[in-house]
Amino acid sequence: MIRVHDDTRRLRRLLRPLQQLDPDTGQPVSAPRARILFATCSRHGNRWYVSLNVHAPDLHKDCHHPPRSEQDHGGWVGLDRGLAAFVVAATADGAEVGRWQAPKPLQRSLVGLRRRSRALSRTKPGSRNRAKATRRLSNVHARIADTRRSFLHEVSSQLVQTHDRLCLERLAVANLVRNKQLARAIGDAGWAELGRQLGYKQAWRGGQVLAADRWLPSTRACSRCGLVKQQLGLADRFFCCDRCGLVMDRDRNAAANLAAWAEQHHAQAPDRQAGGRATNAPGGEGAGRRRGDGGTDPSEGGTDAHAVVA
């Protein structure tokens, strides 16, 4: 049994005003006090988690996210997401600055997942053995999700710490998963979650994230002369241009095209799907007005939306 109230009281004592040194004057000052609004308990696999909603003033200077790293290459960096290589990062001139291979947790755990699923189907509904088999199966699913989430956080953190301007391709994942041969691999990759993490992490550091036009032929276009090929199979891992003779890895060529597109279109109005300012406007009049939505006070502001739709 989890005693949420005791844990909340303990955390409130930890968040009381503490004496710390001011970085400017060196004098001891009291840290601002935070207030816990509510706690939410959830279960993921065989572990319990408690999420706290805390209302606190502005963080101390030492707690702010550091600015972008000095290793920033300057200019825009294109990110091409794929299956052979999860992410390939390159600049507009075709210089590759990063490449990551996906761990593919679902594919590696598929044998154990099938074994746990068959064991669950053999149990009697409502029995203790069925409850045990359900917990074992949920643990496998939780391990797969945790592995994928950890990898995505690692990749997104490395990208935002080294580059402050990123450009992603807008993928129609709902259409891509209709391919029966690639649906499982696409779902195991987590392309949309990577875009979401890049959006809010760049907002923390003051960076920019753009989503390229959905119909941009980044994979079939030559990054040197702009020639667009009519067909390019999945088995063709190199892009060979018939006009200028360019031979380059297809993922690096696509990333270079995305970076070049961002340099030409970054001055336009920000795309709501790539990140922008969204202001909450509850209430209103007319038939569509919902009663009991709750009002807002002058201290509340807008919401910064930086989600990238893949």
Side-chain angles (χ1 to χ4, degrees):
M1 179 178 180
I2 302 178
R3 295 180 299 177
V4 180
H5 298 287
D6 295 344
D7 296 338
T8 305
R9 295 192 191 98
R10 188 178 299 109
L11 288 173
R12 282 177 176 174
R13 289 195 299 267
L14 295 176
L15 293 175
R16 287 177 180 175
L18 302 175
Q19 292 292 333
Q20 63 182 10
L21 296 179
D22 187 87
D24 300 329
T25 62
Q27 300 296 328
V29 295
S30 296
R33 182 174 181 176
R35 183 166 60 94
I36 299 179
L37 301 181
F38 59 87
T40 303
C41 297
S42 60
R43 184 177 180 179
H44 186 59
N46 58 350
R47 296 183 179 182
W48 287 89
Y49 297 89
V50 178
S51 302
L52 299 177
N53 189 296
V54 181
H55 182 272
D58 193 12
L59 295 176
H60 192 269
K61 296 181 180 179
D62 298 337
C63 299
H64 288 177
H65 290 277
R68 64 181 181 88
S69 174
E70 297 180 356
Q71 300 178 358
D72 184 21
H73 295 269
W76 287 87
V77 174
L79 302 179
D80 180 73
R81 292 168 289 182
L83 298 178
F86 178 67
V87 174
V88 176
T91 57
D93 56 357
E96 183 175 325
V97 296
R99 180 183 291 262
W100 290 266
Q101 301 293 335
K104 300 179 181 179
L106 178 59
Q107 180 178 350
R108 294 183 177 182
S109 304
L110 199 58
V111 176
L113 189 63
R114 289 173 176 172
R115 183 172 62 252
R116 298 295 185 186
S117 300
R118 289 195 298 266
L120 176 62
S121 63
R122 291 194 297 266
T123 57
K124 182 178 179 180
S127 62
R128 292 186 177 182
N129 290 334
R130 190 174 186 87
K132 293 180 181 179
T134 302
R135 288 196 299 267
R136 292 170 182 171
L137 180 61
S138 63
N139 292 339
V140 177
H141 282 289
R143 191 180 304 111
I144 294 173
D146 292 340
T147 303
R148 184 185 300 112
R149 189 182 303 107
S150 176
F151 170 74
L152 293 176
H153 277 293
E154 179 182 355
V155 174
S156 59
S157 298
Q158 292 180 8
L159 286 171
V160 301
Q161 290 173 5
T162 54
H163 309 285
D164 64 336
R165 283 169 290 185
L166 302 173
C167 180
L168 296 167
E169 55 183 343
R170 185 171 302 170
L171 300 175
V173 181
N175 296 335
L176 294 175
V177 294
R178 295 179 181 178
N179 189 333
K180 297 181 180 180
Q181 286 74 22
L182 300 178
R184 181 185 298 164
I186 293 174
D188 195 15
W191 290 336
E193 177 63 17
L194 176 66
R196 187 189 69 87
Q197 294 181 8
L198 288 175
Y200 73 80
K201 289 183 180 181
Q202 280 288 43
W204 286 348
R205 296 178 176 269
Q208 293 177 292
V209 177
L210 285 183
D213 185 11
R214 178 178 176 180
W215 307 110
L216 177 68
S218 59
T219 304
R220 296 182 292 106
C222 178
S223 59
R224 179 183 297 176
C225 65
L227 176 65
V228 179
K229 284 191 172 183
Q230 297 298 328
Q231 293 181 355
L232 186 64
L234 295 176
D236 300 332
R237 302 312 307 167
F238 288 90
F239 182 88
C240 301
C241 183
D242 300 333
R243 179 189 298 175
C244 63
L246 175 67
V247 178
M248 183 184 296
D249 180 77
R250 61 176 293 166
D251 297 331
R252 181 156 61 98
N253 177 74
N257 288 328
L258 292 172
W261 181 91
E263 290 183 353
Q264 297 177 2
H265 297 80
H266 72 276
Q268 297 180 359
D271 190 353
R272 290 292 302 275
Q273 301 294 343
R277 182 74 176 178
T279 304
N280 291 333
E285 298 179 355
R289 173 182 171 85
R290 293 179 299 173
R291 302 182 60 86
D293 291 339
T296 58
D297 54 40
S299 63
E300 296 183 3
T303 302
D304 288 324
H306 297 276
V308 179
V309 176

